[in-house]
Amino acid sequence: MKGNILESGENMSLSIKKLTVNDWKEAQFLQVKKEQENFIESIEECFKESESSDEWHSLGVYVKDCFVGYAMYGWIQEEQRLWLNRFFIDGRYQGNGYGKKGCQLVIEKLWKDFPKAEKIYLSVYKENLPAITLYQFLGFVLTAEKDINGEKIMCLSKVSKL
C-alpha cells in the first residue's frame, strides 16, 4: 500500500467502522465513478445529513487502513423502518468485490444493532443496474413502492439474510 492507495492484488481484509467528525477529512476524497454521480449524493451531502440528524449514522468501509467506501443507515421512527440510506465504494476501488463484502458487513451490523427490525429498506434508481444486481445478490427484492424522488424501494427480510 502506498499512502492510502491500495495496490492491485492486496488482500481483501474488509472492515467497517463508525465515522466521527474526525474522519470527514479523509472521507472527503471518496468519489463514485463519473457515470454514477447522478445515482447518489456527494460525500459532503452525506456528511451534512448524517451530522444534522440523530436518525442517520455513517460508516466507513476499509481495506486494511485504506478508506474505500461509505454507508449511511438509520431507523426512521415515523415509518418504523430500518434504512440503508447510502452505500458506495469509491470508483478507484470498484470491481474488487469490496461492494459485496462491504455491504454484507453493513447488513450484519444492522441486524445486530436493530434486533427487532424485520426488514432493511433501501432505494435505488431504476437505471442503476449494477446497484440493483448487487442488492439482489445480497437478498434484497424490488417492491412496488417508490420513494419521494421516484427511486425504487428494495427490501431485505430478516428471514432471507445471509
Side-chain angles (χ1 to χ4, degrees):
M1 207 171 328
K2 292 182 181 173
N4 242 5
I5 303 294
L6 291 173
E7 305 225 357
S8 62
E10 287 227 28
N11 186 354
M12 190 187 345
S13 174
L14 253 74
S15 63
I16 56 174
K17 80 167 191 171
K18 184 173 171 50
L19 296 180
T20 66
V21 174
N22 297 330
D23 299 307
W24 294 144
K25 186 173 182 180
E26 183 182 7
Q28 72 182 338
F29 297 105
L30 294 177
Q31 289 181 256
V32 294
K33 293 179 179 177
K34 187 83 171 150
E35 63 270 18
Q36 298 167 325
E37 289 177 353
N38 292 328
F39 297 142
I40 193 162
E41 291 78 1
S42 71
I43 195 72
E44 293 83 9
E45 291 171 280
C46 294
F47 296 158
K48 286 178 188 173
E49 191 170 351
S50 180
E51 287 300 308
S52 68
S53 168
D54 291 335
E55 292 178 329
W56 298 117
H57 308 279
S58 292
L59 296 171
V61 179
Y62 292 83
V63 176
K64 296 185 180 180
D65 65 344
C66 185
F67 200 166
V68 300
Y70 176 82
M72 188 166 80
Y73 67 92
W75 175 262
I76 306 304
Q77 190 64 35
E78 62 270 9
E79 296 178 7
Q80 292 292 296
R81 285 184 171 185
L82 178 57
W83 283 87
L84 174 55
N85 195 40
R86 311 266 163 70
F87 181 81
F88 71 87
I89 299 297
D90 183 284
R92 296 171 292 174
Y93 304 114
Q94 292 178 16
N96 294 299
Y98 303 151
K100 284 181 189 169
K101 181 65 177 165
C103 200
Q104 285 173 331
L105 290 173
V106 172
I107 291 166
E108 289 168 10
K109 176 178 178 42
L110 295 181
W111 290 136
K112 181 178 173 240
D113 290 357
F114 299 90
K116 292 184 180 178
E118 293 296 320
K119 297 180 179 182
I120 299 172
Y121 294 86
L122 60 79
S123 62
V124 63
Y125 286 99
K126 67 180 179 183
E127 301 85 6
N128 194 352
L129 297 178
I132 292 171
T133 301
L134 168 67
Y135 297 135
Q136 287 176 327
F137 173 83
L138 295 171
F140 284 87
V141 295
L142 289 164
T143 70
E145 295 179 79
K146 291 187 179 180
D147 73 2
I148 59 172
N149 298 316
E151 294 179 51
K152 292 182 172 202
I153 293 179
M154 299 184 80
C155 178
L156 176 67
S157 295
K158 190 174 262 185
V159 293
S160 68
K161 74 177 191 174
L162 299 173

